[in-house]
């Protein structure tokens, strides 16, 4: 199923993580999502599964900053930490289809294994997981879980790709993009410390919230290989995608949470109006 072209039916979302204050790059991303929604619906989602890094005060600040910027979103706002049962349901389905396996490896063990093997195929960001725990017997898995050993859950990407067959996603402006199920290897879908992962939560949420166009920075373009694969495995609709450019400073450096001076809060306190900030983010008209 793909999203309809009826503009009134477009649903977009802005999905920040409350790990810091929003900066100019976030303003661009949020205004971009609002603009693509046009006459349709614009949603806000708080991606707060990373309990160690997320803070409630940033959640509040995000809403204040977006409202100040002139954005309105639909209530209720979805907070990922309140929906762990939805992610569990998705994991159970994948597990029932024999597509998951427990991984007990530590980061250090993974690196050592890669070194021992004389390298590993590289994903877009790092070497791929060498598959160590995929080879464990069912008995060993059971015993180690029963002994309380911490484990993540990984997707058996090769199996997954075989089940779905060829896939693509619809990238607005650029057309169909081939999806490579092996692009990120056996990706973690439930972390040792959190019973889901960014990839799983985003895919499930976009479907449950009825998002028809996923807009986000092009730094997440590569992640779409995993998201499209998960949609196919979980029988979820495939939204369209629009990965946008990332705002940079005069030296070409990407804005980041560390750039205190360009947080929306600092700009506001420095006396900038919402209209000025919208213009700085490249949006001339009102939100
Ligand atoms: N929460 C992610 C971030 O803040 C965005 C996720 C997405 O748009 O898919 O970078």
């Amino acid at each position: 199923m793909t999203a309809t072209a009826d503009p009134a039916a477009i649903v977009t979302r802005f999905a920040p993580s409350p790990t810091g204050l929003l900066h100019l790059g976030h303003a661009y991303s949020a205004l971009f999502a609002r603009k693509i929604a046009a006459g349709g619906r614009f949603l806000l989602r708080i991606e707060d599964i990373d309990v160690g890094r997320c803070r409630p005060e940033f959640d509040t600040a995000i809403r204040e900053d977006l409202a100040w910027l002139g954005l309105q979103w639909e209530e209720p706002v979805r907070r990922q930490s309140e929906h762990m049962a939805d992610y569990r349901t998705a994991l159970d389905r994948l597990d029932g289809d024999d597509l998951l396996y427990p991984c007990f490896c530590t980061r250090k063990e993974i690196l050592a294994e890669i070194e021992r093997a004389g390298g590993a195929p590289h994903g877009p960001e790092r070497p791929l997981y060498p598959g160590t725990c995929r080879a464990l017997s069912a008995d060993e898995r059971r015993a180690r879980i029963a002994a309380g050993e911490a484990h993540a859950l990984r997707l058996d990407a090769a199996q997954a790709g075989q089940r779905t067959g060829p896939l693509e996603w619809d990238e607005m402006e650029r057309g169909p993009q081939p999806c490579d199920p092996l692009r990120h290897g056996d990706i973690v879908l439930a972390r040792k410390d959190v019973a889901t992962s960014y990839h799983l939560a985003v895919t499930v949420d976009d479907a449950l919230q009825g998002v028809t166009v996923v807009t986000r920075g092009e730094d997440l373009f590569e992640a779409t290989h995993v998201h499209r694969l998960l949609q196919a495995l979980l029988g979820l609709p495939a939204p369209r995608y629009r990965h946008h450019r990332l705002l940079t400073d005069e030296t070409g450096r990407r804005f980041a949470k560390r750039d205190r001076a360009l947080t929306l809060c600092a700009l506001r306190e420095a006396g900038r109006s919402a209209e000025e900030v919208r213009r700085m983010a490249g949006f001339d008209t009102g939100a």
Side-chain angles (χ1 to χ4, degrees), residues 200-269:
L200 185 73
V202 158
T203 307
V204 168
D205 286 349
D206 283 336
L208 289 180
Q209 293 191 284
V211 172
T212 62
V213 183
V214 172
T215 66
R216 57 187 179 196
E218 65 190 4
D219 54 331
L220 288 169
F221 181 88
E222 289 289 340
T224 313
H225 290 279
V226 181
H227 303 174
R228 183 68 197 94
L229 177 63
L230 289 174
Q231 285 152 10
L233 294 172
L234 293 166
L236 303 175
R240 302 172 80 198
Y241 286 84
R242 178 69 168 85
H243 293 94
H244 59 68
R245 72 187 174 93
L246 299 174
L247 282 199
T248 51
D249 64 17
E250 333 57 76
T251 68
R253 216 172 46 106
R254 269 173 60 179
F255 293 129
K257 292 199 166 142
R258 60 180 178 270
D259 294 319
R260 291 271 324 143
L262 289 171
T263 61
L264 301 187
C265 179
L267 290 166
R268 184 165 67 236
E269 279 167 9

Side-chain angles (χ1 to χ4, degrees), residues 2-119:
T2 46
T4 155
D6 173 4
I10 291 179
V11 183
T12 65
R13 48 54 164 197
F14 176 56
S17 299
T19 54
L21 292 169
L22 296 186
H23 54 66
L24 209 50
H26 292 112
Y28 177 79
S29 202
L31 291 163
F32 189 93
R34 173 65 269 183
K35 190 173 166 192
I36 294 281
R41 298 164 55 206
F42 170 65
L43 310 177
L44 172 64
R45 183 165 76 227
I46 300 293
E47 304 216 320
D48 62 345
I49 56 165
D50 206 336
V51 275
R53 293 176 59 225
C54 295
R55 302 265 178 279
E57 58 270 31
F58 291 133
D59 186 335
T60 310
I62 286 170
R63 296 171 205 232
E64 281 171 9
D65 287 346
L66 293 177
W68 175 76
L69 208 52
L71 283 163
Q72 284 172 329
W73 55 89
E74 265 184 40
E75 295 287 348
V77 169
R78 185 173 170 97
R79 297 180 68 207
Q80 291 187 323
S81 59
E82 292 166 0
H83 297 278
M84 297 306 283
D86 291 331
Y87 313 134
R88 184 69 251 169
T89 303
L91 287 169
D92 286 346
R93 174 161 174 173
L94 296 171
D95 193 34
D97 288 342
D98 275 335
L99 291 170
L100 298 183
Y101 63 88
C103 172
F104 305 91
C105 295
T106 61
R107 230 172 269 248
K108 219 166 133 191
E109 283 165 348
I110 295 173
L111 291 176
E113 177 61 30
I114 289 170
E115 209 162 294
R116 213 172 14 248

